[in-house]
Amino acid sequence: MYIRNQYFFMAYKAIFITLCLWGLYLNSGLPEGKLNWGILTYYTIQSNILCLFYFICSFCWNLGTLRTENKIETFAPRFKGAVMFAITVTGLIFHFVLRPHLFTMGNAEYANSMANTLVHYVVPLMTVADWLLFDPKGRFKKFDPFLWLLIPYAYFLFAIIRAHIGGEILSTGSRYPYAFINIDQLGLQQVLLNVAGLTLVFLIIGYIYYGLDHLLRKKISDKYFL
């Protein structure tokens, strides 16, 4: 079951793009008067930018098909699965791993701020909702969750390389954006164990999406509303 109303479909994506841009703006340092390039080292920001890129492409693609063929469709559905997976990782890691530390470190104000809520909760939830509401199901392939892992793996490689060629991030006292990949403090062996554990969790998340995709296809095949 999915929505095929063209106006709702396009309005939702326009709202998403607006909120995603707002979240990135609030975290960029520009509200304080200076762009802070250091935020680009964080997976949260990179995954939000990935979502923004995908939804802009989807909006423009469907704007074109509406004009020529008067229809709407999911833009690059398997790539969308990767985008949804990547931003889900952002939301879950923040909520269950990072958020508790913000309170213990005295950063409760940021934890409850609009800047934080948009990039860690609103964008992830709206991305998943977009897939549930608008996309025909049954398009993910059996090994797609393994391919989706390339996104967090690429980020991990980026973080390691950046740590070796760059310096401290945003006056945090660390070369690494996240404590669980901080080789300086934990050592390489522990970081690799952390990555292995997260890989297992990520695969479970990926296959939950894969299972839902095929379950929903079987239960509500060829049905739509609005």
Side-chain angles (χ1 to χ4, degrees):
M1 187 176 293
Y2 53 98
I3 298 171
R4 305 308 292 161
N5 183 285
Q6 297 169 338
Y7 299 105
F8 191 16
F9 180 94
M10 296 298 284
Y12 187 97
K13 286 169 174 54
I15 292 170
F16 178 95
I17 291 168
T18 301
L19 292 176
C20 190
L21 279 170
W22 187 20
L24 289 170
Y25 168 75
L26 291 177
N27 283 276
S28 68
L30 288 174
E32 290 75 42
K34 184 179 180 181
L35 179 61
N36 195 337
W37 293 102
I39 65 163
L40 293 175
T41 62
Y42 289 93
Y43 181 86
T44 291
I45 301 302
Q46 293 187 20
S47 59
N48 271 256
I49 291 173
L50 178 63
C51 286
L52 179 63
F53 170 78
Y54 175 83
F55 274 82
I56 289 174
C57 288
S58 178
F59 185 87
C60 294
W61 172 271
N62 279 284
L63 195 60
T65 56
L66 278 174
R67 288 174 176 172
T68 58
E69 304 174 39
N70 195 33
K71 68 176 184 178
I72 54 175
E73 59 185 32
T74 302
F75 173 74
R78 291 178 67 196
F79 176 59
K80 182 173 185 176
V83 172
M84 183 172 66
F85 167 80
I87 199 65
T88 298
V89 167
T90 294
L92 292 179
I93 290 293
F94 173 78
H95 186 76
F96 292 105
V97 179
L98 302 176
R99 183 180 175 88
H101 291 289
L102 289 179
F103 288 94
T104 59
M105 294 170 61
N107 291 323
E109 183 178 353
Y110 175 73
N112 295 317
S113 68
M114 182 60 70
N116 176 65
T117 300
L118 285 169
V119 296
H120 286 121
Y121 292 105
V122 174
V123 168
L125 288 173
M126 285 191 71
T127 302
V128 175
D130 184 83
W131 173 70
L132 288 171
L133 290 173
F134 299 110
D135 294 3
K137 307 304 185 290
R139 294 179 171 183
F140 297 158
K141 304 300 182 183
K142 186 180 297 185
F143 294 103
D144 279 354
F146 282 94
L147 295 177
W148 298 344
L149 285 174
L150 293 175
I151 296 175
Y153 279 173
Y155 175 77
F156 175 66
L157 183 61
F158 158 79
I160 298 300
I161 293 174
R162 198 226 65 85
H164 282 80
I165 64 176
E168 181 182 311
I169 300 173
L170 297 178
S171 302
T172 60
S174 174
R175 298 186 298 157
Y176 295 89
Y178 300 106
F180 56 85
I181 59 171
N182 191 328
I183 296 176
D184 293 338
Q185 290 186 352
L186 303 178
L188 180 59
Q189 182 177 0
Q190 183 59 52
V191 167
L192 291 178
L193 286 173
N194 291 345
V195 170
L198 287 172
T199 296
L200 178 60
V201 173
F202 294 166
L203 278 175
I204 292 171
I205 294 169
Y207 276 103
I208 287 173
Y209 280 141
Y210 171 79
L212 279 174
D213 184 54
H214 286 264
L215 178 65
L216 291 173
R217 179 191 181 189
K218 291 179 181 179
K219 287 198 169 205
I220 49 179
S221 178
D222 299 325
K223 295 182 181 179
Y224 61 90
F225 59 102
L226 289 185

